C-alpha cells in the first residue's frame, strides 16, 4: 500500500502473524480511518476529490480487512459494524466519482458488495450484480480497462479476496489479476464486470473458510522461495514473505527466523 496509514497496517500484519485477530482488526480500522482522512497528505489528495488514481480505495481495503479479521476473531458484532460503516463510506465516496469517472464509481459499488460479503450482511448477490451492471454501463468511458485495473483504487478492491485466498493455498497467489478480469479487454464493460461476478462466486466461501479455520493469512509482500537464510519455526518452510515491517513465513504467516544457512 502506498498511502499514509500511520504505521497501523504494519501493526495489523504483526497481529496476524501472532494470530491475534482482534488486535489485527483494531489496527486495520485505525489504518483505514487514517487513510480515509488523508489518503496522500503530501500531495494534498482529498478523500472526497475524484482523483485519477483513487487512492482513497486503500482506506476502504483496510476497513474490509478489519471486517475479515473480526470475523475470524469471533467478534461478529464488531465485524457487522465495520461492514455497515464500509458500505456507507463506499457509497458516499462513489458520489464524488459518479459524473466524472463512472468506471471508478462502479468500483465503489464493488466495494459495497465486498463489505456485504465479508461482513455477512444480506443482499450480497444483488450488490455484486449492481456493480457488474455499473461496469457495463461505464464501458464507453473507459479507454484502457487494463490500465484502469492497475490503478490504486482497483488494486485495493482486489486486495481482500487475494489475501483470503492465500489462507487456503499455503500462501500462494490463488487469485490472480487474470482471474479477476475478463478475457477480452476490447470489451471494457465485460472485462471489468468480471471482477464483480468472480467475487460474488468466490468471496463468501473464502470468508467462511477463514472463519472455520480460525486463520487469516497476512497479505503478500516481497517473497523469496527456498532460502538458505530463513526457516519457519512453526512449519519448517524456507519460503519468506517480507511485508510491512515483518519477515513472515510465506506458507503459514508465522514470524520466520534467520538461520546460518
Amino acid at each position: 500500500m502506498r498511502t499514509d496509514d500511520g504505521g497501523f497496517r504494519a501493526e495489523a500484519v504483526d497481529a496476524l502473524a501472532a494470530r491475534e485477530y482482534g488486535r489485527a482488526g483494531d489496527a486495520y480500522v485505525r489504518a483505514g480511518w487514517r487513510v480515509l482522512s488523508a489518503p496522500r497528505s503530501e500531495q494534498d489528495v482529498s478523500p472526497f476529490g475524484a482523483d485519477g488514481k483513487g487512492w482513497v480505495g486503500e482506506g476502504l481495503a483496510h476497513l474490509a480487512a478489519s471486517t475479515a479479521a473480526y470475523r475470524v476473531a469471533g467478534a461478529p458484532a464488531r465485524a457487522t459494524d465495520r461492514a455497515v460503516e464500509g458500505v456507507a463510506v463506499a457509497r458516499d465516496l462513489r458520489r464524488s466519482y459518479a459524473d466524472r469517472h463512472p468506471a471508478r464509481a462502479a468500483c465503489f459499488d464493488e466495494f459495497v458488495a465486498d463489505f456485504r460479503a465479508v461482513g455477512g450482511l444480506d443482499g450480497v448477490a444483488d450488490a455484486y450484480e449492481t456493480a457488474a451492471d455499473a461496469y457495463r454501463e461505464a464501458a464507453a468511458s473507459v479507454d484502457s480497462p487494463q490500465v484502469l485495473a492497475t490503478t490504486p483504487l482497483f488494486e485495493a478492491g482486489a486486495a481482500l479476496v487475494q489475501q483470503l485466498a492465500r489462507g487456503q493455498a499455503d500462501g500462494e497467489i490463488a487469485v490472480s489479476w487474470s482471474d479477476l478480469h475478463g478475457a477480452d479487454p476490447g470489451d471494457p464493460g465485460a472485462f471489468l464486470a468480471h471482477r464483480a461476478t468472480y467475487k460474488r462466486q468466490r468471496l463468501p466461501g473464502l470468508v467462511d473458510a477463514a472463519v472455520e479455520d480460525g486463520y487469516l493469512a497476512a497479505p503478500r509482500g516481497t517473497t523469496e522461495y527456498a532460502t538458505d537464510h530463513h526457516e519457519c519455526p512453526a512449519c519448517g518452510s524456507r519460503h519468506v514473505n517480507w511485508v510491512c515491517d515483518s519477515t513472515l513465513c510465506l506458507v503459514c504467516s508465522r514470524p520466520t527466523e534467520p538461520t546460518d544457512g
Side-chain angles (χ1 to χ4, degrees), residues 10 38 53 62 78 88 98 100 128 148 161 175 188 196-197 205 227-228 247 255:
K53 295 185 180 295
H62 297 325
R78 183 158 283 182
R100 292 176 54 194
Y128 277 122
L148 186 65
V161 67
V175 174
T197 302
T227 71
D228 60 2
T247 303

Side-chain angles (χ1 to χ4, degrees), residues 36-59:
L36 288 169
S37 67
R40 298 272 283 184
S41 56
E42 75 281 4
Q43 295 183 10
D44 194 28
V45 174
S46 165
F48 298 105
D51 74 270
K53 295 185 180 295
W55 292 106
V56 72
E58 294 192 356

Side-chain angles (χ1 to χ4, degrees), residues 50-119:
D51 74 270
K53 295 185 180 295
W55 292 106
V56 72
E58 294 192 356
L60 290 176
H62 297 325
L63 289 186
S66 77
T67 306
Y70 285 135
R71 289 286 302 275
V72 174
R78 183 158 283 182
T80 297
D81 290 342
R82 295 294 84 75
V84 170
E85 290 170 0
V87 167
V89 172
R91 284 176 170 169
D92 191 26
L93 292 170
R94 186 194 194 283
R95 296 186 182 97
S96 300
Y97 288 79
D99 294 332
R100 292 176 54 194
H101 301 292
R104 294 185 179 90
C107 193
F108 288 105
D109 289 329
E110 184 183 322
F111 265 113
V112 168
D114 290 346
F115 279 111
R116 290 191 177 280
V118 73

Side-chain angles (χ1 to χ4, degrees), residues 19-225:
R19 305 298 199 262
E20 297 174 3
Y21 297 116
R23 180 165 69 90
D26 292 347
Y28 269 129
V29 170
R30 298 178 76 183
W33 289 123
R34 179 68 173 263
V35 172
L36 288 169
S37 67
R40 298 272 283 184
S41 56
E42 75 281 4
Q43 295 183 10
D44 194 28
V45 174
S46 165
F48 298 105
D51 74 270
K53 295 185 180 295
W55 292 106
V56 72
E58 294 192 356
L60 290 176
H62 297 325
L63 289 186
S66 77
T67 306
Y70 285 135
R71 289 286 302 275
V72 174
R78 183 158 283 182
T80 297
D81 290 342
R82 295 294 84 75
V84 170
E85 290 170 0
V87 167
V89 172
R91 284 176 170 169
D92 191 26
L93 292 170
R94 186 194 194 283
R95 296 186 182 97
S96 300
Y97 288 79
D99 294 332
R100 292 176 54 194
H101 301 292
R104 294 185 179 90
C107 193
F108 288 105
D109 289 329
E110 184 183 322
F111 265 113
V112 168
D114 290 346
F115 279 111
R116 290 191 177 280
V118 73
L121 307 181
D122 59 7
V124 173
D126 287 344
Y128 277 122
E129 188 56 37
T130 294
D133 287 344
Y135 280 128
R136 297 184 190 106
E137 292 170 5
S141 69
V142 179
D143 294 328
S144 172
Q146 303 103 309
V147 172
L148 186 65
T150 59
T151 58
L153 177 62
F154 283 79
E155 289 182 343
L160 181 62
V161 67
Q162 292 172 327
Q163 183 175 351
L164 283 163
R166 292 188 69 242
Q168 303 301 310
D170 291 333
E172 296 297 341
I173 299 173
V175 174
S176 68
W177 191 88
S178 59
D179 290 329
L180 279 168
H181 300 97
D184 181 12
D187 184 351
F191 182 88
L192 295 172
H194 187 76
R195 294 171 57 97
T197 302
Y198 180 85
K199 287 201 282 186
R200 177 176 59 81
Q201 296 168 345
R202 288 292 312 275
L203 188 57
L206 290 172
V207 174
D208 289 343
V211 172
E212 182 176 350
D213 293 345
Y215 170 56
L216 177 60
R220 189 179 176 106
T222 301
T223 60
E224 184 178 353
Y225 286 83

